[in-house]
Amino acid sequence: MLELSILGFLCDESLHGYELRKRVAALTGHVKPIADGTLYPAIKKMEASGLLTRELQSGPAAAPRHMLTLTAKGREHLKNRLSNPDDAFITDENRWFVLLAFLRHLKNADAQAAVLNRRLAFLTQPASFFYDRDRPLRAADFDDPFRKGLMTIATATSRTELKWLRETLAELTA
Amino acid sequence: MLELSILGFLCDESLHGYELRKRVAALTGHVKPIADGTLYPAIKKMEASGLLTRELQSGPAAAPRHMLTLTAKGREHLKNRLSNPDDAFITDENRWFVLLAFLRHLKNADAQAAVLNRRLAFLTQPASFFYDRDRPLRAADFDDPFRKGLMTIATATSRTELKWLRETLAELTA
DNA sequence: TTTCGATACCTCGGGACCGAGGTATCTCGC
DNA sequence: GCGAGATACCTCGGTCCCGAGGTATCGAAA
């Protein structure tokens, strides 16, 4: 998840760690704030595996910045991740949103459509949060206003996304 | 997250591990499937800290079942968790949904309203996923259909939930 | 009849991430 | 001219959870 964000942001332009941290925080930080102790080791690991390079810049800033640049291998890796995302990136809304944020880096419209189709398949498969034996329960089955709300919200949000998915898929395949 | 699900399901009725696993899978499994290797150690840990008791049942099933029952301490713990959830349970939609699923166990309408108000405060604070310097970017700022969609979906879903939150808060405080 | 799938529980190694700590420099207010 | 806060990077221990494995019993199909 974090790795994908880093790859995605660096694909647009070289950034130093601190700026990267701010962008990642804007994208996913409201859900779960990103910690220093998570970001910097991730960068190191990616540098070690040749996905990015680091260049020391003694600019006007307080501390020397490490300018981070994606390598060709890093770009390749990003495209792979975007084309063949793990299931968790399709099913977990947080991860899915990160994927969406960078899907434009996949220049190929067919590849983009394939990813949207996976999400479409996931959202259209019937599923509930609660079952009585094998019968899926619906919002109307609950007296409880909270479970009712949970179901209502989930249904409404998936409807909104389905509409967008179908429209966008139509444009992509046109 | 898993602990809250276990507490919540067991608060209604005693269950054995396997049945618990199915219910947890229905509630959060579509996002991220729950693994045996996660559930059983969690149960053991909760047993060790006195939140639940275990009773061996040699019923008609293939393997002997461990019937799990919440203790008074477990019930207390659940109410504490529901009343004073960590920020992550307010901001992360996955966790928030789990919280909503069991909020009825909090018998006190004021306490329930307090939790909904925290979510309301989170959803109404202005935030974007992307910024240009300090200016938050909106859906219309993007050519990219994916980022456009991301913003559109996020706005629509939060609007739906806000509507429900305000309605339910009105009922709770009536 | 034997094998397969479902039921039911368990362990262990490892990965991702957190959080609390540390270091150092620059700028701005007081 | 001194402290506070922002900038910028780093480490280490710990927690949560996964995934791949293992054990054992039962019923139904082949």
Side-chain angles (χ1 to χ4, degrees):
Chain A
M1 166 108 146
L2 178 57
E3 204 193 50
L4 186 63
S5 301
I6 297 175
L7 289 170
F9 279 124
L10 289 184
C11 191
D12 277 329
E13 49 180 328
S14 295
L15 297 169
H16 54 95
Y18 201 75
E19 176 61 27
L20 191 54
R21 188 172 163 280
K22 275 200 268 185
R23 304 220 178 172
V24 173
L27 183 58
T28 59
H30 45 96
V31 172
K32 190 163 271 273
I34 174 75
D36 267 14
T38 307
L39 181 64
Y40 289 111
I43 291 172
K44 283 210 152 184
K45 204 183 138 200
M46 289 170 71
E47 192 193 7
S49 49
L51 301 178
L52 55 83
T53 55
R54 181 192 298 243
E55 197 187 342
L56 216 85
Q57 259 199 346
S58 48
R65 293 169 165 182
H66 297 242
M67 214 58 183
L68 307 171
T69 306
L70 221 55
T71 62
K73 191 178 171 187
R75 259 163 231 284
E76 202 53 41
H77 196 65
L78 172 60
K79 290 200 175 153
N80 258 283
R81 288 250 177 193
L82 292 174
S83 310
N84 306 308
D86 291 349
D87 274 345
F89 279 92
I90 303 297
T91 61
D92 183 348
E93 190 161 7
N94 298 329
R95 285 167 202 266
W96 167 244
F97 270 21
V98 173
L99 215 171
L100 261 193
F102 300 115
L103 201 54
R104 73 193 153 96
H105 289 312
L106 218 53
K107 300 298 181 195
N108 185 336
D110 284 345
Q112 290 171 335
V115 175
L116 294 200
N117 270 317
R118 275 182 68 189
R119 177 76 175 172
L120 182 64
F122 167 67
L123 287 183
T124 45
Q125 82 193 357
S128 178
F129 295 98
F130 308 101
Y131 290 83
D132 181 26
R133 322 272 164 190
D134 283 331
R135 188 175 69 89
L137 297 176
R138 320 218 144 225
D141 291 319
F142 296 104
D143 289 331
D144 171 15
F146 308 109
R147 289 203 174 182
K148 233 185 185 44
L150 168 55
M151 310 286 289
T152 309
I153 294 164
T155 308
T157 61
S158 99
R159 232 199 305 270
T160 305
E161 194 179 333
L162 281 170
K163 184 164 170 283
W164 175 80
L165 274 173
R166 293 197 171 106
E167 284 168 9
T168 309
L169 275 167
E171 282 169 37
L172 280 177
T173 50
Chain B
M1 164 109 143
L2 178 56
E3 203 193 52
L4 186 63
S5 301
I6 296 175
L7 290 170
F9 279 124
L10 289 184
C11 191
D12 277 328
E13 49 180 329
S14 294
L15 298 170
H16 55 95
Y18 202 76
E19 176 62 28
L20 191 56
R21 188 172 163 278
K22 275 199 269 183
R23 304 219 178 175
V24 174
L27 184 57
T28 59
H30 45 97
V31 171
K32 190 165 270 275
I34 174 73
D36 268 13
T38 308
L39 181 64
Y40 289 113
I43 291 173
K44 282 208 152 182
K45 204 183 138 198
M46 290 170 71
E47 192 193 5
S49 49
L51 300 178
L52 55 84
T53 55
R54 182 191 299 240
E55 197 187 341
L56 215 86
Q57 260 198 344
S58 47
R65 293 169 164 181
H66 297 244
M67 214 58 184
L68 307 171
T69 306
L70 221 56
T71 62
K73 190 177 171 188
R75 262 163 227 285
E76 202 52 43
H77 197 65
L78 172 60
K79 290 200 175 152
N80 258 284
R81 289 250 177 188
L82 292 174
S83 311
N84 306 308
D86 291 350
D87 274 344
F89 279 91
I90 302 298
T91 60
D92 183 348
E93 191 163 7
N94 298 329
R95 286 167 202 266
W96 168 244
F97 270 21
V98 173
L99 215 170
L100 261 192
F102 301 115
L103 201 54
R104 74 193 152 98
H105 289 312
L106 219 54
K107 299 299 181 195
N108 185 335
D110 284 346
Q112 290 171 335
V115 175
L116 295 200
N117 269 317
R118 275 182 68 189
R119 177 74 176 172
L120 182 64
F122 167 67
L123 287 182
T124 46
Q125 82 192 355
S128 178
F129 296 98
F130 308 101
Y131 291 82
D132 180 25
R133 323 268 166 196
D134 284 331
R135 187 175 69 89
L137 297 176
R138 320 219 144 223
D141 290 320
F142 295 105
D143 290 329
D144 171 16
F146 308 110
R147 290 204 174 181
K148 231 185 184 50
L150 168 56
M151 310 286 287
T152 309
I153 293 165
T155 308
T157 61
S158 99
R159 230 199 307 270
T160 306
E161 193 178 334
L162 281 170
K163 185 165 168 282
W164 174 80
L165 274 172
R166 292 196 172 108
E167 285 168 9
T168 308
L169 275 166
E171 282 169 37
L172 280 176
T173 51

